[in-house]
Amino acid sequence: MESQTSKIISGIFISNILAVIIVGIAKFLTPQAGYSDVIIFSVFFIVPFLMGIFNGWQWHDMKMRAVKVIGWCIVSTLLSVVLSAIFLGEGTICLFIVSPVILAMMVAGTFIGREVYRRKNNTLKSSLLGVLALFFVADVVSEHESLEMVSDTLIINAPVEKVWPFVVEYEPITLKENYWLFQAGMPSPVQSTVDGHEAGAGRKCIFSNGYVFDEKMVVYKPNEELTFDIISQPRDPEIMGHIDITRGQFILKDNGDGTTTLIGNSWYKLYVFPSWYFNLWSESITRNVHLRVMDHIKILSEENV
Amino acid sequence: MFNLIIRYFGFLKHVPLVPHLYDALLKIQVFFTNRALLNYMDDVTEQVSEWQNITISTHKYGGTQFNLNDVELGHLHGNGLLDVLLNREVKTDLMRNHNILDHHTFKNSGWISFRIKRSDDRNIAIEILERAYMFRQKR
């Protein structure tokens, strides 16, 4: 029993070290874009699946029950998360987001690997590994970019001329954080300042941990539209390390009854794949950044009516 | 939940690895919610695998597949749902005596579905597979 446990633990270490090497090579070979590190689909799907196949190969002749298989896969996933934080510099929240994917792929790979190696079918083994390797190489050399947009709307009980000044710049937000990721330590927007009131002037969006997004206002139409391009943004090991926020926009619409419809839009490039999964998170985060700022603008505008 | 996913996302079963990933998610869910069920499924698999000419493989749409001479008898999904192919006579007989349903996708076919939930259900699952085994051996 003791030798079986030590075999499992050593196997988990070997598969994790191999995974770190493969991910390092993939990161090195993947064409980078913008300011961010590109992390491809294969890193989250193929690599943990291969780790699972490796586990399956190691464990196929052990009479391990499913509970134990999944338990050891959880241990291996936790080790992967720790190694990713140490060697790849990934942030805690980013790793929290990807860990369910890593675990699911590893469990799938382990159960498949166990059956494949029990059947001693060499053709099946080599074709499975060959297809995965081919897919991995194709993924590494492909171009990766995903342009996304998030839009939010809020009704403010104040006329546009009262809302506009707070859209351009606003004093620090004192509202309590009500989004769980902000409560968990993800930076949230605090204040916006400008160095002029015209197109071409600079704008800064300051976040709770002191991060500053430098912006340039490209459309400045009082009481109608403010559009700004992000010219530099902080490099953060959390999610911002894999997103380039490219443009922000506020559109104001006079509803004709003393109220204003405020629309907040953001455009960003996502460099972490598969984008359908990670965009669920980045959309939620961007939406909560919008709403925190827009709720603050609403309070300030309505106080001044 | 399982039936809803099969109904609306069932087409994804043709995408390589997606059904296996889904089955892994089912197993992980069971691990956190009803760990004993994983042991019941293992018990069924271990017992059936001891029968003559039975092999175990991964089902193409996820789960553990039981084969007699390389022909599928049935498969067990990661949530304890057992699907077995029978003839109408055996199916009617089993449905009369046990809480066995038409297959969750192929209604009015020879396929049946039986959900393992409790410890006693292991014996029913084994009985169903045994009936399929006997029926297939006779053919």
Side-chain angles (χ1 to χ4, degrees), chain A residues 45 49 64-67 70-71 74 103-105 107-108 111-112 115 119 132, chain B residues 17 20-21 24-25 27-28 31-32 35 38-39 42-43 46 56-58 70:
Chain A
F45 283 78
F49 186 75
M64 274 173 80
R65 308 217 104 201
V67 169
I70 297 172
I74 291 172
L103 176 63
M105 289 310 292
V107 169
F111 281 103
I112 291 175
E115 294 310 327
R119 290 174 78 185
L132 290 174
Chain B
L17 290 183
H20 304 92
L21 177 62
L25 288 169
K27 285 194 175 97
I28 293 167
F31 179 87
F32 287 110
R35 214 163 290 176
L38 288 173
N39 287 327
D42 279 347
D43 291 340
E46 279 168 20
I56 307 292
S57 59
T58 303
D70 289 332

mmCIF file of all heavy atoms in Angstrom, chain A residues 45 49 64-67 70-71 74 103-105 107-108 111-112 115 119 132, chain B residues 17 20-21 24-25 27-28 31-32 35 38-39 42-43 46 56-58 70:
data_model
loop_
_atom_site.group_PDB
_atom_site.id
_atom_site.type_symbol
_atom_site.label_atom_id
_atom_site.label_comp_id
_atom_site.label_asym_id
_atom_site.label_seq_id
_atom_site.Cartn_x
_atom_site.Cartn_y
_atom_site.Cartn_z
ATOM 1 N N PHE A 45 -6.813 22.595 -21.743
ATOM 2 C CA PHE A 45 -7.560 21.401 -22.103
ATOM 3 C C PHE A 45 -6.652 20.218 -22.434
ATOM 4 O O PHE A 45 -6.799 19.149 -21.856
ATOM 5 C CB PHE A 45 -8.512 21.702 -23.283
ATOM 6 C CG PHE A 45 -9.742 22.450 -22.843
ATOM 7 C CD1 PHE A 45 -9.693 23.800 -22.596
ATOM 8 C CD2 PHE A 45 -10.941 21.790 -22.649
ATOM 9 C CE1 PHE A 45 -10.813 24.499 -22.159
ATOM 10 C CE2 PHE A 45 -12.079 22.466 -22.211
ATOM 11 C CZ PHE A 45 -12.007 23.825 -21.969
ATOM 12 N N PHE A 49 -5.433 17.093 -19.865
ATOM 13 C CA PHE A 49 -5.909 15.806 -20.380
ATOM 14 C C PHE A 49 -4.731 14.831 -20.512
ATOM 15 O O PHE A 49 -4.829 13.662 -20.125
ATOM 16 C CB PHE A 49 -6.605 16.018 -21.738
ATOM 17 C CG PHE A 49 -7.259 14.784 -22.280
ATOM 18 C CD1 PHE A 49 -8.454 14.329 -21.745
ATOM 19 C CD2 PHE A 49 -6.676 14.069 -23.310
ATOM 20 C CE1 PHE A 49 -9.056 13.174 -22.232
ATOM 21 C CE2 PHE A 49 -7.267 12.918 -23.804
ATOM 22 C CZ PHE A 49 -8.466 12.473 -23.261
ATOM 23 N N MET A 64 -7.689 0.864 -8.280
ATOM 24 C CA MET A 64 -8.108 2.105 -7.626
ATOM 25 C C MET A 64 -9.575 2.384 -7.892
ATOM 26 O O MET A 64 -10.027 2.317 -9.028
ATOM 27 C CB MET A 64 -7.278 3.287 -8.162
ATOM 28 C CG MET A 64 -5.984 3.483 -7.437
ATOM 29 S SD MET A 64 -4.998 4.741 -8.241
ATOM 30 C CE MET A 64 -5.750 6.217 -7.643
ATOM 31 N N ARG A 65 -10.306 2.712 -6.842
ATOM 32 C CA ARG A 65 -11.714 3.039 -6.978
ATOM 33 C C ARG A 65 -11.860 4.479 -7.483
ATOM 34 O O ARG A 65 -10.936 5.299 -7.326
ATOM 35 C CB ARG A 65 -12.426 2.874 -5.645
ATOM 36 C CG ARG A 65 -12.174 1.529 -5.013
ATOM 37 C CD ARG A 65 -13.388 1.006 -4.325
ATOM 38 N NE ARG A 65 -14.023 -0.034 -5.118
ATOM 39 C CZ ARG A 65 -15.292 -0.407 -4.984
ATOM 40 N NH1 ARG A 65 -16.077 0.158 -4.109
ATOM 41 N NH2 ARG A 65 -15.804 -1.358 -5.733
ATOM 42 N N ALA A 66 -13.011 4.762 -8.084
ATOM 43 C CA ALA A 66 -13.226 6.082 -8.687
ATOM 44 C C ALA A 66 -13.042 7.212 -7.676
ATOM 45 O O ALA A 66 -12.497 8.272 -8.007
ATOM 46 C CB ALA A 66 -14.627 6.144 -9.294
ATOM 47 N N VAL A 67 -13.473 6.980 -6.425
ATOM 48 C CA VAL A 67 -13.341 8.010 -5.391
ATOM 49 C C VAL A 67 -11.865 8.375 -5.211
ATOM 50 O O VAL A 67 -11.505 9.554 -5.123
ATOM 51 C CB VAL A 67 -13.929 7.494 -4.050
ATOM 52 C CG1 VAL A 67 -13.566 8.415 -2.901
ATOM 53 C CG2 VAL A 67 -15.436 7.351 -4.157
ATOM 54 N N ILE A 70 -10.450 10.273 -8.374
ATOM 55 C CA ILE A 70 -10.817 11.701 -8.402
ATOM 56 C C ILE A 70 -10.092 12.448 -7.279
ATOM 57 O O ILE A 70 -9.612 13.568 -7.481
ATOM 58 C CB ILE A 70 -12.350 11.874 -8.310
ATOM 59 C CG1 ILE A 70 -13.006 11.238 -9.545
ATOM 60 C CG2 ILE A 70 -12.742 13.354 -8.216
ATOM 61 C CD1 ILE A 70 -14.514 11.161 -9.489
ATOM 62 N N GLY A 71 -9.983 11.828 -6.115
ATOM 63 C CA GLY A 71 -9.271 12.461 -4.998
ATOM 64 C C GLY A 71 -7.835 12.800 -5.373
ATOM 65 O O GLY A 71 -7.364 13.921 -5.136
ATOM 66 N N ILE A 74 -7.650 15.662 -7.748
ATOM 67 C CA ILE A 74 -7.798 16.955 -7.065
ATOM 68 C C ILE A 74 -6.431 17.382 -6.496
ATOM 69 O O ILE A 74 -6.027 18.541 -6.632
ATOM 70 C CB ILE A 74 -8.875 16.868 -5.958
ATOM 71 C CG1 ILE A 74 -10.254 16.693 -6.601
ATOM 72 C CG2 ILE A 74 -8.859 18.104 -5.061
ATOM 73 C CD1 ILE A 74 -11.385 16.398 -5.633
ATOM 74 N N LEU A 103 -9.228 20.368 -13.581
ATOM 75 C CA LEU A 103 -9.663 19.160 -12.871
ATOM 76 C C LEU A 103 -10.531 18.279 -13.775
ATOM 77 O O LEU A 103 -10.307 17.066 -13.863
ATOM 78 C CB LEU A 103 -10.430 19.532 -11.592
ATOM 79 C CG LEU A 103 -11.022 18.355 -10.823
ATOM 80 C CD1 LEU A 103 -9.931 17.413 -10.300
ATOM 81 C CD2 LEU A 103 -11.889 18.819 -9.646
ATOM 82 N N ALA A 104 -11.494 18.891 -14.463
ATOM 83 C CA ALA A 104 -12.402 18.100 -15.317
ATOM 84 C C ALA A 104 -11.630 17.394 -16.425
ATOM 85 O O ALA A 104 -11.855 16.203 -16.698
ATOM 86 C CB ALA A 104 -13.480 19.007 -15.908
ATOM 87 N N MET A 105 -10.685 18.115 -17.067
ATOM 88 C CA MET A 105 -9.920 17.488 -18.150
ATOM 89 C C MET A 105 -9.005 16.393 -17.615
ATOM 90 O O MET A 105 -8.806 15.355 -18.255
ATOM 91 C CB MET A 105 -9.087 18.541 -18.912
ATOM 92 C CG MET A 105 -9.880 19.480 -19.774
ATOM 93 S SD MET A 105 -11.062 18.680 -20.892
ATOM 94 C CE MET A 105 -10.012 17.833 -22.039
ATOM 95 N N VAL A 107 -9.527 14.520 -14.904
ATOM 96 C CA VAL A 107 -10.348 13.355 -14.546
ATOM 97 C C VAL A 107 -10.744 12.601 -15.822
ATOM 98 O O VAL A 107 -10.631 11.360 -15.886
ATOM 99 C CB VAL A 107 -11.601 13.789 -13.731
ATOM 100 C CG1 VAL A 107 -12.588 12.653 -13.598
ATOM 101 C CG2 VAL A 107 -11.188 14.283 -12.354
ATOM 102 N N ALA A 108 -11.167 13.344 -16.853
ATOM 103 C CA ALA A 108 -11.544 12.688 -18.121
ATOM 104 C C ALA A 108 -10.351 11.911 -18.677
ATOM 105 O O ALA A 108 -10.469 10.742 -19.070
ATOM 106 C CB ALA A 108 -12.027 13.732 -19.130
ATOM 107 N N PHE A 111 -9.537 8.612 -16.563
ATOM 108 C CA PHE A 111 -10.427 7.466 -16.788
ATOM 109 C C PHE A 111 -10.226 6.875 -18.190
ATOM 110 O O PHE A 111 -10.209 5.657 -18.364
ATOM 111 C CB PHE A 111 -11.896 7.855 -16.550
ATOM 112 C CG PHE A 111 -12.247 7.895 -15.086
ATOM 113 C CD1 PHE A 111 -12.370 9.086 -14.405
ATOM 114 C CD2 PHE A 111 -12.430 6.711 -14.376
ATOM 115 C CE1 PHE A 111 -12.671 9.126 -13.041
ATOM 116 C CE2 PHE A 111 -12.731 6.730 -13.008
ATOM 117 C CZ PHE A 111 -12.856 7.935 -12.347
ATOM 118 N N ILE A 112 -10.039 7.751 -19.189
ATOM 119 C CA ILE A 112 -9.799 7.250 -20.549
ATOM 120 C C ILE A 112 -8.449 6.529 -20.598
ATOM 121 O O ILE A 112 -8.336 5.414 -21.120
ATOM 122 C CB ILE A 112 -9.860 8.399 -21.587
ATOM 123 C CG1 ILE A 112 -11.302 8.901 -21.712
ATOM 124 C CG2 ILE A 112 -9.340 7.948 -22.956
ATOM 125 C CD1 ILE A 112 -11.471 10.106 -22.612
ATOM 126 N N GLU A 115 -8.471 3.023 -19.116
ATOM 127 C CA GLU A 115 -9.087 2.004 -19.980
ATOM 128 C C GLU A 115 -8.199 1.677 -21.176
ATOM 129 O O GLU A 115 -8.040 0.525 -21.557
ATOM 130 C CB GLU A 115 -10.469 2.460 -20.467
ATOM 131 C CG GLU A 115 -11.515 2.585 -19.390
ATOM 132 C CD GLU A 115 -11.641 1.364 -18.487
ATOM 133 O OE1 GLU A 115 -11.427 0.244 -18.974
ATOM 134 O OE2 GLU A 115 -11.909 1.549 -17.288
ATOM 135 N N ARG A 119 -6.390 -2.006 -21.940
ATOM 136 C CA ARG A 119 -6.711 -2.806 -23.140
ATOM 137 C C ARG A 119 -5.458 -3.156 -23.936
ATOM 138 O O ARG A 119 -5.524 -3.925 -24.868
ATOM 139 C CB ARG A 119 -7.707 -2.046 -24.031
ATOM 140 C CG ARG A 119 -9.068 -1.970 -23.380
ATOM 141 C CD ARG A 119 -9.999 -1.110 -24.170
ATOM 142 N NE ARG A 119 -10.526 -1.797 -25.328
ATOM 143 C CZ ARG A 119 -11.292 -1.232 -26.251
ATOM 144 N NH1 ARG A 119 -11.598 0.030 -26.142
ATOM 145 N NH2 ARG A 119 -11.750 -1.909 -27.260
ATOM 146 N N LEU A 132 -3.671 14.296 -30.265
ATOM 147 C CA LEU A 132 -3.511 15.360 -29.260
ATOM 148 C C LEU A 132 -2.288 16.222 -29.572
ATOM 149 O O LEU A 132 -2.343 17.449 -29.480
ATOM 150 C CB LEU A 132 -3.379 14.758 -27.858
ATOM 151 C CG LEU A 132 -4.642 14.109 -27.288
ATOM 152 C CD1 LEU A 132 -4.350 13.420 -25.962
ATOM 153 C CD2 LEU A 132 -5.753 15.121 -27.104
ATOM 154 N N LEU B 17 -14.082 14.295 -27.444
ATOM 155 C CA LEU B 17 -13.767 14.551 -26.024
ATOM 156 C C LEU B 17 -14.854 15.279 -25.236
ATOM 157 O O LEU B 17 -14.832 15.249 -24.004
ATOM 158 C CB LEU B 17 -12.442 15.319 -25.849
ATOM 159 C CG LEU B 17 -11.173 14.541 -26.168
ATOM 160 C CD1 LEU B 17 -9.947 15.412 -25.884
ATOM 161 C CD2 LEU B 17 -11.074 13.267 -25.345
ATOM 162 N N HIS B 20 -16.813 12.938 -23.013
ATOM 163 C CA HIS B 20 -15.956 12.412 -21.949
ATOM 164 C C HIS B 20 -15.725 13.478 -20.867
ATOM 165 O O HIS B 20 -15.662 13.166 -19.679
ATOM 166 C CB HIS B 20 -14.632 11.913 -22.524
ATOM 167 C CG HIS B 20 -14.835 10.894 -23.597
ATOM 168 N ND1 HIS B 20 -14.924 11.238 -24.916
ATOM 169 C CD2 HIS B 20 -15.049 9.554 -23.533
ATOM 170 C CE1 HIS B 20 -15.156 10.149 -25.630
ATOM 171 N NE2 HIS B 20 -15.244 9.119 -24.814
ATOM 172 N N LEU B 21 -15.614 14.713 -21.340
ATOM 173 C CA LEU B 21 -15.461 15.820 -20.399
ATOM 174 C C LEU B 21 -16.739 15.950 -19.568
ATOM 175 O O LEU B 21 -16.686 16.136 -18.348
ATOM 176 C CB LEU B 21 -15.177 17.117 -21.172
ATOM 177 C CG LEU B 21 -15.072 18.386 -20.342
ATOM 178 C CD1 LEU B 21 -13.931 18.303 -19.353
ATOM 179 C CD2 LEU B 21 -14.880 19.608 -21.231
ATOM 180 N N ALA B 24 -16.856 13.261 -17.036
ATOM 181 C CA ALA B 24 -15.929 13.562 -15.933
ATOM 182 C C ALA B 24 -16.566 14.571 -14.980
ATOM 183 O O ALA B 24 -16.446 14.444 -13.757
ATOM 184 C CB ALA B 24 -14.617 14.115 -16.493
ATOM 185 N N LEU B 25 -17.274 15.563 -15.540
ATOM 186 C CA LEU B 25 -17.945 16.552 -14.692
ATOM 187 C C LEU B 25 -19.019 15.895 -13.826
ATOM 188 O O LEU B 25 -19.192 16.245 -12.657
ATOM 189 C CB LEU B 25 -18.574 17.665 -15.551
ATOM 190 C CG LEU B 25 -17.580 18.641 -16.184
ATOM 191 C CD1 LEU B 25 -18.271 19.521 -17.217
ATOM 192 C CD2 LEU B 25 -16.925 19.519 -15.131
ATOM 193 N N LYS B 27 -18.965 12.811 -12.766
ATOM 194 C CA LYS B 27 -18.263 12.061 -11.707
ATOM 195 C C LYS B 27 -17.769 13.011 -10.605
ATOM 196 O O LYS B 27 -17.846 12.688 -9.420
ATOM 197 C CB LYS B 27 -17.073 11.301 -12.296
ATOM 198 C CG LYS B 27 -17.474 10.052 -13.082
ATOM 199 C CD LYS B 27 -16.246 9.190 -13.334
ATOM 200 C CE LYS B 27 -16.611 7.882 -14.016
ATOM 201 N NZ LYS B 27 -16.450 7.900 -15.463
ATOM 202 N N ILE B 28 -17.254 14.178 -11.020
ATOM 203 C CA ILE B 28 -16.759 15.146 -10.023
ATOM 204 C C ILE B 28 -17.929 15.635 -9.159
ATOM 205 O O ILE B 28 -17.803 15.757 -7.942
ATOM 206 C CB ILE B 28 -16.039 16.329 -10.725
ATOM 207 C CG1 ILE B 28 -14.754 15.823 -11.395
ATOM 208 C CG2 ILE B 28 -15.717 17.448 -9.746
ATOM 209 C CD1 ILE B 28 -14.124 16.798 -12.370
ATOM 210 N N PHE B 31 -18.718 12.994 -6.773
ATOM 211 C CA PHE B 31 -17.655 12.941 -5.756
ATOM 212 C C PHE B 31 -17.958 13.910 -4.605
ATOM 213 O O PHE B 31 -17.746 13.597 -3.447
ATOM 214 C CB PHE B 31 -16.304 13.295 -6.400
ATOM 215 C CG PHE B 31 -15.141 13.292 -5.448
ATOM 216 C CD1 PHE B 31 -14.432 12.129 -5.189
ATOM 217 C CD2 PHE B 31 -14.743 14.461 -4.802
ATOM 218 C CE1 PHE B 31 -13.358 12.130 -4.309
ATOM 219 C CE2 PHE B 31 -13.671 14.473 -3.926
ATOM 220 C CZ PHE B 31 -12.972 13.298 -3.681
ATOM 221 N N PHE B 32 -18.453 15.094 -4.967
ATOM 222 C CA PHE B 32 -18.709 16.100 -3.933
ATOM 223 C C PHE B 32 -20.098 15.977 -3.296
ATOM 224 O O PHE B 32 -20.332 16.543 -2.237
ATOM 225 C CB PHE B 32 -18.528 17.515 -4.506
ATOM 226 C CG PHE B 32 -17.075 17.858 -4.733
ATOM 227 C CD1 PHE B 32 -16.555 17.978 -6.014
ATOM 228 C CD2 PHE B 32 -16.216 18.040 -3.659
ATOM 229 C CE1 PHE B 32 -15.214 18.279 -6.221
ATOM 230 C CE2 PHE B 32 -14.875 18.350 -3.854
ATOM 231 C CZ PHE B 32 -14.370 18.459 -5.138
ATOM 232 N N ARG B 35 -20.656 10.519 -2.575
ATOM 233 C CA ARG B 35 -19.458 9.724 -2.866
ATOM 234 C C ARG B 35 -19.742 8.223 -2.916
ATOM 235 O O ARG B 35 -19.119 7.491 -3.678
ATOM 236 C CB ARG B 35 -18.393 10.038 -1.812
ATOM 237 C CG ARG B 35 -16.996 9.994 -2.359
ATOM 238 C CD ARG B 35 -16.033 10.683 -1.450
ATOM 239 N NE ARG B 35 -16.235 12.123 -1.447
ATOM 240 C CZ ARG B 35 -15.582 12.965 -0.681
ATOM 241 N NH1 ARG B 35 -14.688 12.521 0.168
ATOM 242 N NH2 ARG B 35 -15.809 14.262 -0.754
ATOM 243 N N LEU B 38 -20.286 6.546 -6.312
ATOM 244 C CA LEU B 38 -19.115 6.160 -7.110
ATOM 245 C C LEU B 38 -18.689 4.737 -6.751
ATOM 246 O O LEU B 38 -18.286 3.959 -7.621
ATOM 247 C CB LEU B 38 -17.950 7.131 -6.875
ATOM 248 C CG LEU B 38 -18.085 8.529 -7.485
ATOM 249 C CD1 LEU B 38 -16.937 9.420 -7.007
ATOM 250 C CD2 LEU B 38 -18.091 8.481 -9.004
ATOM 251 N N ASN B 39 -18.794 4.402 -5.467
ATOM 252 C CA ASN B 39 -18.451 3.035 -5.050
ATOM 253 C C ASN B 39 -19.454 2.018 -5.581
ATOM 254 O O ASN B 39 -19.072 0.926 -5.998
ATOM 255 C CB ASN B 39 -18.372 2.957 -3.521
ATOM 256 C CG ASN B 39 -17.125 3.630 -2.986
ATOM 257 O OD1 ASN B 39 -16.079 3.620 -3.632
ATOM 258 N ND2 ASN B 39 -17.229 4.247 -1.823
ATOM 259 N N ASP B 42 -18.560 1.408 -9.116
ATOM 260 C CA ASP B 42 -17.357 0.563 -9.179
ATOM 261 C C ASP B 42 -17.704 -0.897 -8.897
ATOM 262 O O ASP B 42 -17.186 -1.804 -9.548
ATOM 263 C CB ASP B 42 -16.314 1.037 -8.156
ATOM 264 C CG ASP B 42 -15.504 2.214 -8.652
ATOM 265 O OD1 ASP B 42 -15.573 2.503 -9.858
ATOM 266 O OD2 ASP B 42 -14.808 2.859 -7.839
ATOM 267 N N ASP B 43 -18.601 -1.116 -7.911
ATOM 268 C CA ASP B 43 -18.991 -2.490 -7.560
ATOM 269 C C ASP B 43 -19.620 -3.189 -8.762
ATOM 270 O O ASP B 43 -19.305 -4.344 -9.058
ATOM 271 C CB ASP B 43 -19.991 -2.484 -6.391
ATOM 272 C CG ASP B 43 -19.334 -2.038 -5.088
ATOM 273 O OD1 ASP B 43 -18.099 -2.102 -5.004
ATOM 274 O OD2 ASP B 43 -20.075 -1.618 -4.178
ATOM 275 N N GLU B 46 -16.906 -3.816 -11.445
ATOM 276 C CA GLU B 46 -15.978 -4.902 -11.064
ATOM 277 C C GLU B 46 -16.640 -6.269 -11.201
ATOM 278 O O GLU B 46 -16.050 -7.207 -11.730
ATOM 279 C CB GLU B 46 -15.503 -4.698 -9.617
ATOM 280 C CG GLU B 46 -14.374 -3.689 -9.529
ATOM 281 C CD GLU B 46 -14.084 -3.253 -8.105
ATOM 282 O OE1 GLU B 46 -14.468 -3.974 -7.163
ATOM 283 O OE2 GLU B 46 -13.474 -2.183 -7.945
ATOM 284 N N ILE B 56 -14.314 -4.148 -20.691
ATOM 285 C CA ILE B 56 -14.760 -2.804 -20.301
ATOM 286 C C ILE B 56 -14.020 -1.803 -21.178
ATOM 287 O O ILE B 56 -12.821 -1.935 -21.407
ATOM 288 C CB ILE B 56 -14.404 -2.513 -18.819
ATOM 289 C CG1 ILE B 56 -14.936 -3.615 -17.888
ATOM 290 C CG2 ILE B 56 -14.882 -1.130 -18.383
ATOM 291 C CD1 ILE B 56 -16.426 -3.692 -17.746
ATOM 292 N N SER B 57 -14.741 -0.822 -21.670
ATOM 293 C CA SER B 57 -14.076 0.230 -22.455
ATOM 294 C C SER B 57 -14.752 1.566 -22.139
ATOM 295 O O SER B 57 -15.707 1.617 -21.369
ATOM 296 C CB SER B 57 -14.164 -0.071 -23.953
ATOM 297 O OG SER B 57 -15.512 -0.161 -24.345
ATOM 298 N N THR B 58 -14.238 2.623 -22.756
ATOM 299 C CA THR B 58 -14.854 3.945 -22.575
ATOM 300 C C THR B 58 -15.944 4.093 -23.629
ATOM 301 O O THR B 58 -15.692 3.860 -24.809
ATOM 302 C CB THR B 58 -13.789 5.048 -22.737
ATOM 303 O OG1 THR B 58 -12.749 4.790 -21.793
ATOM 304 C CG2 THR B 58 -14.358 6.409 -22.470
ATOM 305 N N ASP B 70 -16.796 -7.879 -27.666
ATOM 306 C CA ASP B 70 -16.629 -6.579 -28.336
ATOM 307 C C ASP B 70 -17.917 -5.952 -28.862
ATOM 308 O O ASP B 70 -17.873 -4.995 -29.642
ATOM 309 C CB ASP B 70 -15.578 -6.670 -29.460
ATOM 310 C CG ASP B 70 -14.178 -6.827 -28.893
ATOM 311 O OD1 ASP B 70 -13.945 -6.339 -27.761
ATOM 312 O OD2 ASP B 70 -13.337 -7.454 -29.557
#
